[in-house]
Amino acid sequence: MTTPAHEPKAGGNAGMDSEYLEIRGLCVSFDGFKAVTDVDLTVLQGDLRFLIGPNGAGKTTLIDAITGLVPATGSAQKSGSELIGRKVHQIARLGVGRTFQTASVFEQLTVLQNLDIAAGSGRSALTLLRRRKSALPAIEEALETTGLTALRDKPAGVLAHGQKQWLEIGMLLVQNASVLLLDEPVAGMSHEEREETGNLLRRIGGDRVVIVVEHDMDFMRAFATSVTVLAGGRVLSEGTVEEVQADPKVQAVYLGTAAAGDLPPVDADAIAEATEAVSTTDLEEAR
Ligand SMILES: Nc1ncnc2c1ncn2[C@@H]1O[C@H](COP(=O)(O)OP(=O)(O)OP(=O)(O)O)[C@@H](O)[C@H]1O
């Protein structure tokens, strides 16, 4: 399997040609309800960032805003190119790719055909479906990276749940996405599949910006190089796994049990109190 030149690390790999995602003052409202409020977030290439937070914290909405699925105000730049205000396909063409909680692959088509379609925008449907004698180098590489080489000629519909998620990630790789936003990639996966997925994230995360929305705290602890916690649509905390887990605001939101397994039930009052504390601190700092 392809090994990255370098593994993800906290803070990423800042450099002249590094990719980055820089979000400033991002807000999303649904009929007056603020789902995301004034979010600032910077992730450099090579930093495997996990985005956690209780149900309804705004994690998926934030990804939706970055990828053009919901209107937003503020700024989200990929390596200097503004994404807010662009259409979904334009954002994808700029190299920003995402997966959804449920994998959306073409079940009747083979693994190779799925990758071929992902790689081949601009080619006719007939050309895409015709079986190639040899796959494009980018497709061969994606097959190897995702561990799907032996399954290349199998219909995607017969793949295990985890393999479908890996295929979806492979489809982003052949599209040359350098910013990958993955929404709960290990939900419903077996322990082995989680391990494999974490290793896959490490393989691809060294030279890309990867943001993983996740509820599985064990998975986060094992693979995150940095963490952002959202609550009530705002950034509540940010840092390494250890820093975030030690943050009293985070403990308050998770009722002091964030370190134990999957998310516990969330106390709405604790969220309100914790986010209020953040807003007040922000205001005080601004004065
Ligand atoms: N299209 C929509 N219209 C109205 N409200 C919405 C819409 N999408 C999301 N919301 C609301 O915005 C808030 C944030 O939702 P979002 O799905 O982003 O949270 P999340 O952190 O991803 O939660 P989960 O972990 O449960 O997936 C929630 O209160 C949700 O009900």
Side-chain angles (χ1 to χ4, degrees):
M1 239 169 242
T2 320
T3 38
H6 31 68
E7 293 237 320
K9 61 175 189 215
N13 309 301
M16 285 289 281
D17 301 321
S18 286
E19 300 281 355
Y20 62 89
L21 183 69
E22 189 172 50
I23 297 172
R24 290 292 175 268
L26 199 84
C27 298
V28 179
S29 292
F30 297 112
D31 293 329
F33 168 71
K34 289 183 171 177
V36 171
T37 307
D38 279 338
V39 165
D40 291 349
L41 186 69
T42 303
V43 186
L44 300 183
Q45 167 186 320
D47 187 357
L48 191 43
R49 175 71 55 95
F50 275 55
L51 186 58
I52 66 167
N55 291 317
K59 305 179 295 294
T60 298
T61 304
L62 181 61
I63 289 190
D64 286 348
I66 299 167
T67 51
L69 282 180
V70 296
T73 58
S75 167
Q77 294 196 357
K78 186 214 164 211
S79 311
S81 300
E82 184 58 53
L83 306 175
I84 300 302
R86 289 190 197 254
K87 295 192 169 28
V88 172
H89 69 273
Q90 294 171 325
I91 294 170
R93 235 176 258 155
L94 281 171
V96 179
R98 71 170 294 172
T99 60
F100 292 85
Q101 288 175 19
T102 314
S104 50
V105 298
F106 297 103
E107 305 249 327
Q108 316 293 330
L109 304 183
T110 66
V111 167
L112 196 54
Q113 285 169 332
N114 269 280
L115 291 170
D116 218 6
I117 285 176
S121 56
R123 280 187 288 133
S124 76
L126 192 65
T127 320
L128 287 169
L129 288 173
R130 200 176 295 144
R131 205 179 153 141
R132 287 169 183 277
K133 286 204 184 73
S134 61
L136 297 169
I139 292 180
E140 294 288 1
E141 200 179 322
L143 282 167
E144 202 186 324
T145 304
T146 54
L148 294 173
T149 305
L151 298 168
R152 59 197 286 155
D153 295 321
K154 293 267 184 260
V158 307
L159 297 183
H161 173 68
Q163 292 166 334
K164 283 184 191 165
Q165 282 284 352
W166 304 335
L167 174 55
E168 229 188 350
I169 291 173
M171 290 163 77
L172 298 181
L173 298 181
V174 298
Q175 282 165 13
N176 232 353
S178 48
V179 173
L180 280 78
L181 309 168
L182 311 177
D183 202 351
E184 295 193 38
V186 299
M189 281 190 188
S190 67
H191 179 73
E192 288 72 25
E193 286 178 325
R194 276 162 209 245
E195 280 296 307
E196 282 303 311
T197 305
N199 292 331
L200 170 57
L201 297 183
R202 280 200 180 134
R203 285 198 291 280
I204 64 177
D207 40 19
R208 293 177 184 83
V209 175
V210 179
I211 299 182
V212 182
V213 170
E214 200 42 76
H215 276 299
D216 184 325
M217 298 292 111
D218 285 337
F219 184 68
M220 185 262 298
R221 275 197 299 275
F223 294 103
T225 55
S226 63
V227 184
T228 298
V229 186
L230 279 191
R234 292 176 180 272
V235 175
L236 184 68
S237 185
E238 197 166 282
T240 61
V241 173
E242 293 73 24
E243 286 165 350
V244 160
Q245 284 188 165
D247 185 336
K249 294 195 298 292
V250 177
Q251 291 169 1
V253 164
Y254 287 136
L255 300 175
T257 52
D262 283 341
L263 281 183
V266 165
D267 180 339
D269 291 340
I271 294 176
E273 245 172 58
T275 47
E276 179 63 23
V278 171
S279 318
T280 314
T281 317
D282 287 348
L283 278 176
E284 277 162 6
E285 272 172 13
R287 276 191 200 122

